[in-house]
Amino acid sequence: MKEKVILAYSGGLDTTAIIPWLKENYDYDVVCCCIDVGQGNELDGLDERARVSGAIKLYIEDVVDEFCDEYVVPCVQANAVYENKYLMGTAMARPVIAKKLVEIARKEGAVAICHGATGKGNDQVRFELGIKALAPDLKIIAPWRTWNISSRDEEIKYCEDHDIYLPFSADNSYSRDRNLWHISHEGLELEDPASAPNYDHLLVLGVTPEKAPDEPEELSIDFEKGVPTAINGERMKVSDIIRKLNELGGKHGIGIVDIVENRIVGMKSRGVYETPGGTILMEAHQQLEELILDKDTTIAKRQISVQYADQVYSGKWFTPLREALQAFIESTQQYVTGTVKMKLYKGNIIKQGTTSPYSLYNESLASFTTGDLYDHHDAEGFITLYGLSSKVRAMKMQEVKKNNK
């Protein structure tokens, strides 16, 4: 029997061309594996396409709930946003994909895993770091770093030369990645940072704020220990909450981000991300934390959030540091329970009130009227001590200035 390779398979042109290339250059039996993280109708027709292309088997693994519960939720709890804008839809999905590829490789007794990520992008790093962390003995094959195919036209011709005729064309289109959390867009006019995105051609999950309804929409989101549990009082699993928020957010023009980001490999790249539900969820979670976390924990968590986001973006999910950061984040979520109300209106998320049984907001303290817990006279002594170092320095500078005259 021939040795087997597991191919991370999407059914697109790249991974279709890779099947005959693997057979031709490695003499492997190719087992295709499509990991369903919420791509929707992109999975239609994959069985026939993989068979026609020469694969001996196709796995379609539904990991949507695992993706949401074990990868998305920790990032929401961390408020993990890369470079202040990117909610990391692609970055969060890669580790669960790598994990499933390894599981199937073990099940099939494969000797290698192959992916179709390019040699300039982030995903090659994310896939390979995940695979190395979970299965250091498996060989990794990255055709885009070794084959002599350099264009979409050449890929189509390669397929035709191997008697594979599929509905692919050389038309100009965006490079997209989609899952339940988001969809990303790269290419075409986006390659020029001076050009405005063609949103009429580009958007998939929603509309621009200009085309959103003129009437706002109100909703509430419940959290328990930092995990979203209900919308408008209706309990549902996390994946269904994201689906519902995607629908509402897309309708009202929420979560469209145009960013020039720093890739792992050192270059800058521009992309437009649609993350309607994720943007709402992140904002709601942060609003709830405002009530519950004390000042010092809030400051520390902001620093951890930046570090955590960089770890996830850089493909370092299966590392001791990411797990240690996760432990800190989980400890901060023990009391992040409550309800956040908000209004969606033309791309905006407008706060409508937040409640929690663990709120540190004390109306008696915060009110302009005098309460039992706060004596205004105490402020004088506090300010004297709090500003003592500044006063001592100012006195010293006056003394120095006087002596130098």
Side-chain angles (χ1 to χ4, degrees), residues 49 185 192:
R49 187 171 301 176
H185 312 266
D192 180 3

Side-chain angles (χ1 to χ4, degrees), residues 33 38 50 60 74 79 85 88 102 129 146 169 202 207 212 214 218 249 254 264 297 323 360 371 377 395 397 405:
C33 182
I60 298 180
N79 302 323
K85 288 186 177 181
M88 301 197 299
V102 168
L129 289 188
T146 58
S169 66
L202 181 150
V207 298
D214 292 331
E218 295 189 5
I254 305 292
I264 304 168
T297 302
E323 293 171 358
L360 298 183
H377 297 93
M395 291 170 63
M397 296 306 293
K405 284 185 177 180

